[in-house]
Amino acid sequence: MFSVSAVMMIAGSRGSYALAGAVTAVGLAVTALVAPWTARLVDRHGQARVAVPATAVAVLGSLALLLCVRHGAPDWTLFAAYAATATTPNTGGMSRARWAHLYRDDPAARHTANSFEQAADELCFMLGPVAAAFLCTALFPEAGTLTGAVLLMTGVVIFAAQRATEPPVAPRATDTRSPLRLPGMPALLAVFLATGAVFGSMEVVTLAFADGLGHGAAAGPVLALQAAGSCAAGLLYGSARPAANPHRRLLACVGAMTLLMSLPLLAASTGSLAAVAGALLLAGAATAPTMVTGMTLLQRVVPQAQLNEGMTLAVTALLGGIAAGSATGGWLAEHTAPASGYAAPVAAAALALLLCAAGRPTAQGRTERTTKAPPS
């Protein structure tokens, strides 16, 4: 909800989408720098001890942004306030870390839990922007940010209160390597980066395509169909057997994503938004299995004591890819025919496939010392 609410709130008050986009872009960049450090603190000191105060700082940043916009503060204050929201903890990563701890000896149950988490993520991606746009237009421009701040703080407090499922803080040696230096981790993060570019370019190109046809208001529901396809695929994928070789499964999932991402490109050539909507529904079916398999592989590579940091690095790579994909898709949409912009997500998916094929298979398991967590 936050990015959509911030754009609508700032653009509505200052009359500049360029300023609104710049503020959210700077916030994304700061998040990419801060999030791994927040996750490292979570690994070292526990989820509840770090997540609640980190969220409180982020909520104060959102409220500061709201007040700066409301009272006409200088533009630089908007950047400073939104940058403070970078301390928002990776709740999805913390939740997956809990599943990994609870089902550390049951790969099938862990696979189902990871699939459920991805489906829940997709549901949030469907409902969040719609709710934000409705609140900002039906009530007042700051309503989306205010509601998002209340939901975030409330949700994290409730989540942190579930102490029975919180994984214990694992002993950590002083010479522990950063997850970035683990074998196979850079290649896996490169795949996440390219996958993020698929998401970022698809969103911008679809907005431009719908606007070019005079149906800009329909872009949100059309994009929601892609998330709906991914959500449904995530639930179905959770009922499948976990992969004995996650790297091979990831290669197959990324290959399917590359193939399905060509459908919107073909549909756009007809000039029909309805055709693009149907193609996006089908294209979304490959994204959840790709994300679930990638996260499963990451959980095998990264030791338990660094799991939150490792998954946050994956999310950071995704965010970086989304930013790069948005810029590339926006450039293509502006300088080429609207339908040609759909070549960007296809190219990004093909790049992810090449990176996945070129990367050596990552570790298929961890040693007993790193796999077993101390009893809770």
Side-chain angles (χ1 to χ4, degrees):
M1 292 179 65
F2 281 113
S3 59
V4 172
S5 298
V7 168
M8 297 186 71
M9 181 173 62
I10 296 171
S13 173
R14 305 295 172 92
S16 173
Y17 277 98
L19 175 62
V23 169
T24 55
V26 168
L28 184 65
V30 176
T31 299
L33 295 175
V34 173
W37 293 98
T38 304
R40 181 172 297 181
L41 291 174
V42 169
D43 284 327
R44 291 182 177 178
H45 303 290
Q47 294 185 2
R49 290 182 63 186
V50 175
V52 174
T55 301
V57 173
V59 167
L60 288 175
S62 294
L63 296 179
L65 175 67
L66 186 155
L67 292 174
C68 289
V69 173
R70 183 77 174 179
H71 297 287
D75 290 350
W76 68 266
T77 62
L78 308 185
F79 291 92
Y82 202 69
T85 65
T87 61
T88 304
N90 177 16
T91 51
M94 291 191 296
S95 183
R96 288 177 174 88
R98 293 189 180 215
W99 292 123
H101 168 66
L102 292 173
Y103 296 127
R104 56 192 179 278
D105 298 321
D106 190 345
R110 189 168 62 247
H111 167 77
T112 301
N114 284 333
S115 300
F116 167 78
E117 285 292 333
Q118 190 61 39
D121 284 348
E122 298 296 343
L123 185 62
C124 292
F125 286 127
M126 290 169 57
L127 300 180
V130 176
F134 171 78
L135 290 169
C136 291
T137 54
L139 299 180
F140 49 92
E142 299 85 3
T145 298
L146 183 61
T147 303
V150 172
L151 290 174
L152 175 62
M153 193 72 248
T154 304
V156 170
V157 168
I158 294 173
F159 179 82
Q162 313 307 311
R163 303 304 292 267
T165 58
E166 181 177 350
V169 178
R172 182 166 178 167
T174 57
D175 60 346
T176 302
R177 293 182 296 174
S178 167
L180 286 171
R181 299 173 60 189
L182 294 173
M185 190 65 172
L188 187 56
L189 291 180
V191 175
F192 277 113
L193 182 70
T195 302
V198 174
F199 302 153
S201 58
M202 184 67 77
E203 179 176 345
V204 173
V205 169
T206 300
L207 289 170
F209 183 77
D211 190 53
L213 295 177
H215 301 294
V222 169
L223 285 170
L225 287 175
Q226 182 186 1
S230 184
C231 180
L235 293 175
L236 292 174
Y237 190 65
S239 64
R241 294 179 59 184
N245 188 327
H247 182 271
R248 188 176 301 167
R249 176 73 67 84
L250 180 62
L251 187 62
C253 290
V254 177
M257 182 174 67
T258 305
L259 182 63
L260 290 175
M261 285 299 158
S262 64
L263 296 179
L265 177 61
L266 296 174
S269 64
T270 66
S272 169
L273 186 60
V276 169
L280 287 175
L281 179 66
L282 296 175
T287 57
T290 299
M291 291 297 300
V292 170
T293 307
M295 286 296 184
T296 299
L297 188 55
L298 184 144
Q299 290 173 10
R300 294 198 177 196
V301 173
V302 180
Q304 182 73 32
Q306 298 175 284
L307 198 52
N308 284 292
E309 184 179 355
M311 286 191 287
T312 300
L313 286 171
V315 172
T316 300
L318 279 170
L319 292 175
I322 289 172
S326 297
T328 304
W331 188 91
L332 286 174
E334 185 172 340
H335 294 88
T336 65
S340 302
Y342 282 102
V346 178
L351 177 60
L353 180 61
L354 290 175
L355 291 170
C356 188
R360 59 178 178 170
T362 51
Q364 294 301 304
R366 300 193 294 267
T367 63
E368 190 73 13
R369 178 181 65 82
T370 57
T371 302
K372 296 292 185 182
S376 56

